[in-house]
Amino acid sequence: MTPSGSASEPEDAPLESEDAPGREVSRFRRVLKLSGAGLLAVPWIGVLIGIVVLGVLFNSTSPCHCFMTSSNLLTTAQEFSYVGIAALGGAMVIMTKGIDLSVGSNISLSGLLAAAVMADGHGTALALLAGLGVGIGVGLVNGFLVTVVGMQPFIATLGMLSVVGGAAVAYSQGFTLYPPQSFDSLGQGTILGVPNPVVVMIGLAIALTLFLRYTPLGRHIYAVGGNEDACRLLGIRVRRVKMFTYALAGLLGSVGGILLMSFLGSANPSQGLGDELNVIAAAVIGGVSLFGGQGTLFGTLLGATLVGEISDGLTLAQVPGYWTEMIVGCVILTAIGVDQLRRRLRRG
Amino acid sequence: MGGGGGLMPAATASPVLEARGVSKAFGHVQALSKVDLDLLPGEVLGLVGDNGAGKSTLIKILSGVLQPDVGEVLIDGRRVHMGSPVAAQALGIETVYQDLAVVPMLDVAENLFLGREERIGGRFGRLLPIVNRRSMQRQAREQLNSLNIGLGSVRQKVETLSGGQRQAVAVSRAVVFGRHIVILDEPTAALGVRESKAMQELIQAINGRGLSVVLISHNMPQVFELTTRILILRAGQRAGVVRTAETNMEQVVRLMTGAEIQTAA
């Protein structure tokens, strides 16, 4: 077991490039891949290992030894699914080198608005329309501030986090609203034993992965994050691409918000409080680089799984809830650190 | 037109690309004043000048990134307005910019077709815009082969390529789509000796296909090896244009620095 020893002798020939720098880079990569540091190069493998290791760990530390039961895993999945859905959108914004911090408030406001419309006696369709509409609206304003006004995405969406969060508080006057009982089935129901929100999350992840991979717009999302100047010179409408990702992130945030509201059977203005960090954590842990142009939605879901697992596992292990936030914060910082390191390795 | 050298047989051909009296100011800085340029069919025109001489501004105007304050640009003798790089590309001008030509995370074929992705046809293709990877990869392979660029797979990400290979991808994109004119901005500035040599061969191959090339370079031996004529800019003005075969590096440098003034212009 000497990983470094086996790493120093590349088995098959490097790329057929004869250029010295190219060969050096590829050999460097090979060494990386074979050694433990290769985990950095393929981000999701590390996350997958983390998920499994943490699962075993939580199973043994929780007094009930019940973490690794299918019912608990499904419950965990259900609990993080709304973050996972929002993270699919957040990841696509980050791929264009942007960021959406407003999503936490978006989750609150969209759930609240949908619940309010139903509480006022209007139909479910109108409620969904209102909830999803406000999500897209928030996304479009984000996109407008970033692409037309030219604000930094961080600042623009931080401002929107306040504006939208404030709107949720003002609209509800701080009260909790209740949708009709019948609406609970959306978030609490199951399909073949799998909770509806989890099915929605996986379905959206598959559809959006195909979109990213096989449509021109999907490819341009990566391209804009990878080299915006080149895209502009080649006639790609960079603003439109970015605007699309912000609007989609807004929409997916509200999908998450409505499912959460339905699952909980109630809506209050602090429902999504702090979730923006979970969303960003899911994306970054899953290998979506804050430097743009990189990452997958599959990785993002793994990242969301890890974040969900941590908070659920800590609860089961009877760690006081106050600590959860701090630990998730440390995980986020670690993920961002790894992202930086990965970028440095890539450049080297 | 009617330049100084009456002996040039090529001068009888009308230019494919022309700039007439082009001026551009940024605030108080006059980046270009009344510059003329003519690119003849099938030639490689060198564009040289010290830093700040206006080279970048001039090629940005020729590639549609900037619009001149005064003066006009003509393609095949026809006056054109190029409001954007896309407009220039539609007119057959492809530009390879130093350092900002490729997207590292996309593969070679995708980079070649970036912004001009082919879509699949058929009923499904009409319903949903789907990129036709296979066709793009096949064409990319053919193009790279015909240009003698060996990169391995066209499906590998550009970030795995060396600097020279990346530049080759950017240049071949220009060749694939450039019907007419290719502008190369410092194509070898970031490359090593071997890679520069390969790039030089690539430029000759492009030229061999009948494309006219504007080459911006600081590398004088390279300019002398590749070009037919050299246009020298100094302080935003045209300091002269010389036939490569009839000049030497000393003269070009003197023109660049203003030690010599060319009168016939």
Side-chain angles (χ1 to χ4, degrees), chain A residues 1 28 31-32 35 78 94 112 115 126 130 145 167 181 199-200 254 256 274 287 303 321 344:
Chain A
M1 279 282 286
F28 180 58
V31 170
L32 265 185
S35 64
Q78 181 160 30
I94 296 175
L112 203 60
L126 194 66
L145 293 176
Q181 281 271 297
V199 174
V200 172
S254 64
R344 213 168 293 157

Side-chain angles (χ1 to χ4, degrees), chain A residues 1-325:
Chain A
M1 279 282 286
T2 49
S4 58
S6 64
S8 60
E9 29 184 50
E11 283 165 338
D12 32 331
L15 293 173
E16 54 198 89
S17 136
E18 288 170 43
D19 300 290
R23 174 175 285 173
E24 260 161 39
V25 168
S26 73
R27 182 170 301 157
F28 180 58
R29 259 163 224 285
R30 192 165 292 276
V31 170
L32 265 185
K33 272 201 179 125
L34 293 174
S35 64
L39 294 179
L40 297 179
V42 189
W44 61 266
I45 293 182
V47 181
L48 201 59
I49 293 172
I51 289 172
V52 173
V53 168
L54 272 181
V56 172
L57 198 72
F58 283 137
N59 202 41
S60 56
T61 54
S62 60
C64 57
H65 295 296
C66 54
F67 187 83
M68 291 296 255
T69 59
S70 65
S71 72
N72 183 60
L73 290 180
L74 282 178
T75 309
T76 308
Q78 181 160 30
E79 275 166 6
F80 75 71
S81 60
Y82 78 97
V83 167
I85 291 166
L88 297 175
M92 287 161 81
V93 172
I94 296 175
M95 284 172 192
T96 67
K97 233 178 202 168
I99 200 148
D100 180 7
L101 289 170
S102 71
V103 63
S105 296
N106 188 1
I107 288 171
S108 303
L109 183 62
S110 54
L112 203 60
L113 207 62
V117 170
M118 281 185 283
D120 285 353
H122 301 289
T124 314
L126 194 66
L128 292 179
L129 212 63
L132 300 177
V134 77
I136 296 180
V138 169
L140 286 173
V141 175
N142 284 332
F144 175 81
L145 293 176
V146 171
T147 63
V148 181
V149 184
M151 289 185 183
Q152 293 288 328
F154 184 88
I155 300 300
T157 58
L158 183 64
M160 285 297 284
L161 177 72
S162 271
V163 171
V164 177
V169 174
Y171 181 75
S172 65
Q173 312 251 308
F175 289 110
T176 299
L177 302 180
Y178 299 92
Q181 281 271 297
S182 59
F183 192 67
D184 294 357
S185 59
L186 180 70
Q188 293 179 0
T190 58
I191 297 171
L192 299 175
V194 182
N196 287 347
V198 179
V199 174
V200 172
M201 173 177 78
I202 293 172
L204 282 171
I206 293 171
L208 290 170
T209 295
L210 292 174
F211 160 74
L212 278 180
R213 198 158 166 68
Y214 292 109
T215 68
L217 181 56
R219 301 316 291 164
H220 292 169
I221 288 175
Y222 282 108
V224 165
N227 192 340
E228 193 174 323
D229 291 328
C231 288
R232 200 168 286 127
L233 293 170
L234 287 168
I236 292 173
R237 300 184 187 185
V238 172
R239 282 180 180 185
R240 199 181 282 188
V241 173
K242 289 185 174 180
M243 186 68 107
F244 173 82
T245 62
Y246 282 102
L248 187 63
L251 174 67
L252 292 173
S254 64
V255 170
I258 291 170
L259 286 172
L260 177 67
M261 176 267 284
S262 168
F263 171 63
L264 296 174
S266 65
N268 74 65
S270 60
Q271 209 137 285
L273 195 69
D275 275 333
E276 58 281 349
L277 273 187
N278 289 329
V279 162
I280 292 162
V284 176
I285 290 170
V288 179
S289 172
L290 288 170
F291 301 103
Q294 211 106 51
T296 60
L297 298 181
F298 172 65
T300 302
L301 281 199
L302 286 181
T305 307
L306 190 74
V307 175
E309 183 184 29
I310 289 172
S311 51
D312 188 65
L314 289 176
T315 311
L316 276 188
Q318 297 178 336
V319 174
Y322 313 109
W323 290 95
T324 312
E325 206 173 323

